[in-house]
Structure formats: C-alpha cells, structure tokens
C-alpha cells in the first residue's frame, strides 16, 4: 500500500521507513530533510502543506503515519508553548484537513503517554483521565482531539498511538537509555539526576511495527491505543541492566533531590493486543544489548578507543 511517513528522518521515523520498505509498501517521506534510502518511493517538499494544491501530493496515498512534531529536548533552549502548539497541534490539524480532502483512508498519530501526567495509578488504560499539565503534553492532547473530530465525523479513520518510553539505536543522546549506555561504555562514573521514577520502556522496532499495523489494518480501530511493554522498570533497575550488559560491576550514582516528584508510568497495552495483534517482543535487556553492540561497532565510539 502507499504510505506517507512524516518526520521520516527522526529517530522513530527511520525505523518505520526501514520496516515499511522491507514489508513491500510504497513509502513517501516528508520532513525537514530530503532522504535518500533504497526502496523509498520519494520525498514531499518541506512546505508542501502551504501549497493550495497540496492534496495532489497525497494522490493515491492510503495511509499517513504522522511522526513530525517537536518536543522539549534536555539541555536545549526551552520551546515556548506557542512553538509546541504550532509544531504539534496546528501542523496535525493542517495535515488532517489535507488528508480528508485528498481521500486518504487512515491517519495514525504518534502521540505520547505524557498526556496522562504522572499522578495516576498504573497500569494506565486509554480510558484514564488526562493530566496534560506541560506545554508539550497539552499540544499533543490537542492534536489527539483534532484526530478525534475526524474519527467521529469523517471518512478519514484516525488512531492516536500513545507511545510510552521508546528507546533504541539512533536515539538522541540526552534520552535516559542512550545516556546511561554511553556513560557505561566510557568507563566514567555513571550519573543520573534521579533513579526512583518507574517507566515503561518499549523498543523502537516494536513501536515501528505497531505504527505500521495501525496504518495497514482494514478494521476500524479505537481512537486511542497505548503502545508500551506493560512492564515497569525503575531508573535504578535500568542502570543495573545497562551496567551488567556493558560488563561493569559498579552501580550508577543518583542525586535524588528530596523535592523531586517521583513518577510511575506503565502501559496497559491490552487494546493494542486485541485490535492490532501487537505486543512488545523485545525485552529491555535485549534492546540495551543491541544499543551497546551498535555503539561499540561505530567507528567514532569511545568504547573502541
């Protein structure tokens, strides 16, 4: 089938492209950068939505996997709420409108478990009340609501996949798993701000499979599905897994400020299993080992020097 992947050059997008092409789909990419990839059918220009005839670019596209957007990156200048709204909610709204007018059949939004906040009991089900207190989570919740409008009133079928803590090769180094992996391989003391939060880590290739399953199904899906492993792992436990996989016997050093709020976020992914036949198949230990092997094999890896 013909699929458009937005945010295709990003961490998750690259894995979605690779899997979609391997499955034999005709794949078009859209993002800030033009991609050259064996088997890729083409790229849409970055400003294609600004063209009054943008629906022509979506001719014969059957499904859209929408990954494009923005999020606050640790150590980077903090994005203003209006910037996050434009990158996530407004962009999604424009793309939904273009897809609806072009006759696209299915629209899959990559949303986030951040819309739940951190105050609920777990595991978190899709019926859980939202607590999108931050600007990023609020912008994604707004994008979900715009999808829901089409889901209820339009021939365009929409589904929002709330992704939990995605990790894997190619992830930005300021995310918790690659940060710990790199520190462990550099033989320096491994430090984290807080080792008490509990997260649901889900490997990126499993996430890519879920996104494609949602895009390609012929069944009508619920408007929201959780995508997570269903297993909670504290940062302290993650540190132990990483250190063991790196061949180290020491532990990680945590600051654990008394004033910090300790959060827990674990998915109830039962609906994804029921409607997509999807379950996370890569364990945290397997995923960490894959990341360590990839970094050790990289020519610029300090672990090789």
């Amino acid at each position: 089938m013909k699929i458009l992947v937005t945010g295709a050059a990003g961490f998750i997008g690259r894995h979605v492209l690779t899997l979609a092409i391997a499955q034999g789909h005709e794949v078009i990419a859209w993002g800030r950068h033009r991609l050259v990839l064996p088997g890729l059918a083409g790229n849409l220009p970055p400003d294609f939505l600004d063209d009054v005839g943008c629906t022509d670019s979506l001719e014969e596209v059957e499904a859209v996997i929408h990954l494009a957007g923005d999020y606050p990156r640790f150590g980077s200048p903090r994005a203003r709420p209006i910037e996050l709204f434009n990158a996530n909610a407004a962009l999604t709204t424009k793309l939904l409108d273009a897809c609806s007018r072009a006759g696209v059949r299915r629209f899959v939004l990559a949303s986030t478990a951040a819309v739940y906040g951190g105050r609920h009991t777990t595991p978190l089900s899709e019926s859980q009340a939202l607590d999108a207190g931050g600007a990023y989570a609020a912008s994604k919740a707004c994008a979900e609501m715009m999808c829901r409008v089409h889901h209820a009133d339009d021939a365009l079928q929409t589904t929002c996949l709330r992704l939990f803590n995605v990790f894997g090769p190619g992830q930005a180094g300021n995310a918790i798993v690659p940060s710990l992996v790199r520190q462990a391989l550099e033989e320096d003391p491994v430090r984290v701000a807080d080792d008490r939060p509990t997260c649901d880590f889900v490997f990126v290739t499993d996430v890519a499979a879920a996104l494609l399953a949602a895009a390609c199904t012929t069944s009508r899906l619920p408007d929201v599905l959780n995508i997570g492993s269903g297993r909670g792992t504290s940062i302290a436990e993650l540190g132990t897994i990483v250190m063991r996989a790196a061949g180290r016997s020491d532990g990680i050093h945590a600051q654990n400020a008394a004033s910090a709020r300790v959060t827990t976020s674990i998915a109830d992914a039962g609906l994804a299993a029921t409607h997509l036949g999807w379950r996370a198949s890569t364990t945290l230990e397997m995923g960490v080992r894959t990341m360590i092997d990839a970094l050790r094999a990289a020519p610029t890896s300090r672990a090789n020097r």
Side-chain angles (χ1 to χ4, degrees), residues 11-304:
F11 162 52
I12 299 174
R14 294 192 301 273
H15 289 274
V16 172
L17 287 184
T18 300
L19 182 59
I21 291 170
Q23 290 182 357
H25 298 292
E26 180 183 357
V27 186
I28 301 172
W30 179 48
R32 294 188 182 98
H33 307 289
R34 180 178 178 83
L35 295 178
V36 178
L37 188 69
L40 185 65
N43 290 263
L44 293 183
D47 59 350
F48 100 95
L49 278 177
D50 297 327
D51 185 348
V52 293
C54 64
T55 55
D56 293 343
S57 301
L58 298 171
E59 184 178 359
E60 297 182 356
V61 169
E62 297 171 76
V64 170
I65 298 175
H66 183 38
L67 293 156
D70 200 3
Y71 62 95
R73 292 167 176 81
F74 181 77
S76 301
R78 187 171 182 177
R80 296 187 299 153
I82 187 63
E83 294 168 343
L84 291 169
F85 177 84
N86 287 335
N88 297 322
L91 177 64
T92 299
T93 303
K94 289 178 67 175
L95 185 57
L96 281 164
D97 180 66
C99 289
S100 180
R101 288 185 285 115
V104 175
R105 179 179 62 83
R106 188 174 293 280
F107 187 100
V108 180
L109 171 69
S111 187
T112 171
V115 299
Y116 292 118
R119 301 178 183 175
H120 301 301
T121 57
T122 56
L124 293 160
S125 72
E126 292 83 352
S127 62
Q128 182 71 57
L130 302 190
D131 182 23
Y136 168 66
S139 70
K140 296 298 279 190
C142 185
E144 284 192 12
M145 284 189 275
M146 295 310 300
C147 287
R148 203 165 288 123
V149 169
H150 287 270
H151 186 83
D153 300 333
D154 204 322
L156 175 63
Q157 298 179 37
T158 67
T159 302
C160 305
L161 301 193
R162 290 178 181 158
L163 311 182
F164 280 67
N165 290 77
V166 186
F167 76 104
Q171 188 173 19
N174 50 22
I176 183 62
V177 179
S179 173
L180 286 176
V181 166
R182 267 193 297 274
Q183 289 184 72
L185 292 179
E186 289 173 358
E187 299 182 359
D188 297 322
V190 177
R191 304 182 188 277
V192 295
D194 198 324
D195 67 359
R196 296 169 295 178
T198 296
C199 304
D200 185 327
F201 295 100
V202 56
F203 198 59
V204 65
T205 54
D206 289 335
V207 171
L211 289 161
L212 274 170
C216 297
T217 183
T218 57
S219 303
R220 191 167 183 88
L221 297 174
D223 56 347
V224 173
L225 292 171
N226 285 335
I227 301 299
S229 69
R231 172 188 173 189
T233 304
S234 71
I235 303 304
E237 292 169 328
L238 170 64
T240 299
I241 290 169
V242 170
M243 299 297 267
R244 185 184 300 124
R248 294 177 57 162
S249 58
D250 55 326
I252 63 174
H253 302 268
Q255 185 175 354
N256 291 356
S259 59
R261 189 181 75 172
V262 179
T263 59
T264 298
S265 180
I266 305 169
D268 176 349
L271 281 182
T274 298
H275 293 277
L276 298 178
W278 178 90
R279 289 181 177 82
S281 61
T282 306
T283 66
L284 182 54
E285 292 81 0
M286 291 166 57
V288 165
R289 171 54 62 188
T290 297
M291 295 176 70
I292 287 176
D293 290 345
L295 278 177
R296 282 178 167 159
T300 57
S301 172
R302 285 180 58 184
N304 291 334

